[in-house]
Amino acid sequence: TAQTEKFHAVWRQLAAHYAKAPASVALELLNEPKDAATTAVLNPIYAAAIRQIRQTNPKRTIFVGPGKWNQVSELPHLRLPDDDLNLIVTVHSYDPFQFTHQGATWAGPDVKGVKGIQFPGPPDKPLVPDPSLKVSPQMLDWIKRYNTLPAETNPSSPRAFRSVVQHAKEWSDYYGRPVHMGEFGCYIEADPVSRARFYKESREALGEAGIGWAMWDWKAG
């Protein structure tokens, strides 16, 4: 809340700068808000920012995302201005996180040291993490299920993200607001065949739900 005035001032400047840009240019208010920037805290801040942007961009499409890194689970807490229909809700999903972020140095001990996770599971050979890694009991349980459960119920399978996509679709249908999967994807430490399978299954799930998407990442890092 201490940054609210600065946030609105930045958006007044950006809105004025892009006022004459082509209609294909959209604005996204805030990428992956988290911590103190909860969905409930952001709702009135977003509403005020949208009103200020509309002074110079009355017909510009604006993307708005919930808190907790734009998680789909936060959609029930999101409140949009009733009188503005040119808004698109953006959400992010990296499920199954243990697969998509394996080897990512910024993602915590449970995933940065555990590699070799395939998609879909179960693997040909059971995955045994290095005993020297500080892996949580939750991660060890995930690995156990990954090693043993069939593809239909495996935690490293389309099942992990299809429920998330379905929840986003249900929210979109109920409120009549379009939803865009602004980020999904898999880090480059996963094997190429598994990454290709993951992207194919993800794209098909989003296509079936009628949800547009943007992919992360091709070769970051």
Side-chain angles (χ1 to χ4, degrees):
T1 50
Q3 302 298 324
T4 298
E5 289 306 316
K6 183 183 290 185
F7 179 73
H8 289 154
V10 167
W11 271 112
R12 286 194 297 271
Q13 292 179 344
L14 286 170
H17 180 80
Y18 288 104
K20 295 183 180 180
S24 58
V25 175
L27 307 175
E28 182 175 353
L29 293 182
L30 190 60
N31 179 65
E32 293 196 340
K34 61 186 181 69
D35 301 332
T38 65
T39 310
V41 166
L42 286 171
N43 283 330
I45 297 173
Y46 279 161
I50 292 167
R51 286 195 299 270
Q52 294 177 54
I53 291 170
R54 289 293 178 234
Q55 293 177 13
T56 53
N57 292 257
K59 296 182 179 180
R60 180 81 52 200
T61 299
I62 300 173
F63 282 74
V64 183
K68 291 187 179 179
W69 294 274
N70 294 148
Q71 284 188 21
V72 171
S73 61
E74 283 294 296
L75 285 176
H77 307 301
L78 185 65
R79 301 291 180 267
L80 302 176
D82 291 332
D83 58 351
D84 197 321
L85 299 181
N86 196 10
L87 304 173
I88 297 177
V89 174
T90 180
V91 292
H92 295 180
S93 174
Y94 286 105
D95 298 307
F97 191 81
Q98 294 83 351
F99 165 74
T100 64
H101 278 62
Q102 60 183 298
T105 56
W106 67 88
D110 274 357
V111 291
K112 73 178 182 180
V114 181
K115 302 179 185 179
I117 299 173
Q118 300 173 359
F119 184 93
D124 301 326
K125 280 175 47 180
L127 176 68
V128 181
D130 186 334
S132 66
L133 296 173
K134 295 181 179 180
V135 178
S136 71
Q138 292 82 1
M139 182 62 176
L140 291 175
D141 176 70
W142 190 93
I143 293 172
K144 180 181 178 181
R145 290 183 287 116
Y146 164 70
N147 283 335
T148 58
L149 292 180
E152 296 77 22
T153 57
N154 198 280
S156 183
S157 72
R159 181 173 179 264
F161 54 76
R162 278 191 168 269
S163 62
V164 175
V165 172
Q166 183 60 30
H167 288 154
K169 173 178 168 49
E170 290 172 358
W171 185 91
S172 176
D173 290 345
Y174 184 83
Y175 287 100
R177 298 282 194 171
V179 170
H180 181 258
M181 184 63 73
E183 283 187 29
F184 78 99
C186 179
Y187 187 51
I188 56 175
E189 287 292 337
D191 72 88
V193 173
S194 290
R195 290 183 82 210
R197 290 171 179 159
F198 169 80
Y199 280 117
K200 178 178 182 294
E201 294 287 347
S202 298
R203 182 190 60 77
E204 289 179 354
L206 291 164
E208 291 167 11
I211 294 175
W213 50 267
M215 168 186 133
W216 177 97
D217 77 310
W218 178 33
K219 52 179 181 179

